[in-house]
Amino acid sequence: MSSEQDPFADRRSSVRRKVMRAARVLITERQSLIDCTILDLSEGGAKLEFASRPMLPRTFDLQMQNGAIYRCEVRWAKDNFFGVRFLDDNE
């Protein structure tokens, strides 16, 4: 069965890697911080886990351990897990 026929096939355009990295969500013009853990990471996005389910805006900044900041868009949420897509500078 090809991936086109498999309804459970991974639809990501880039490979994701399992990681366990601390990060934080920056919201309200970077005035509020919410700690999270990055569970998997790809060129196009990440899966985040929070201690409890936060109320996140549709877009926010994600600060990695190394200080790099990525603009993100929530693509899905289930319990305290969120899938995000990294946005380009013009989005």
Side-chain angles (χ1 to χ4, degrees):
M1 179 181 286
S2 75
S3 63
E4 287 182 341
Q5 296 170 335
D6 183 355
F8 300 106
D10 194 343
R11 292 176 283 180
R12 290 174 187 84
S13 59
S14 58
V15 177
R16 67 178 167 167
R17 300 180 322 269
K18 298 266 185 217
V19 298
M20 288 285 276
R21 295 184 187 162
R24 55 175 60 152
V25 169
L26 310 173
I27 54 177
T28 318
E29 297 179 18
R30 299 188 181 173
Q31 297 295 319
S32 298
L33 305 174
I34 304 171
D35 291 329
C36 65
T37 302
I38 301 171
L39 298 180
D40 70 39
L41 187 61
S42 73
E43 195 174 291
K47 179 180 179 181
L48 310 178
E49 180 181 27
F50 295 85
S52 61
R53 185 178 175 106
M55 292 296 295
L56 294 180
R58 188 177 74 80
T59 60
F60 59 85
D61 291 332
L62 180 68
Q63 184 177 32
M64 307 292 192
Q65 284 178 320
N66 66 3
I69 296 175
Y70 294 88
R71 191 82 184 140
C72 296
E73 174 186 48
V74 174
R75 300 297 294 190
W76 61 265
K78 183 176 180 183
D79 301 325
N80 57 326
F81 300 95
F82 285 75
V84 299
R85 177 176 73 96
F86 298 139
L87 299 174
D88 294 331
D89 290 338
N90 58 357
E91 291 186 88

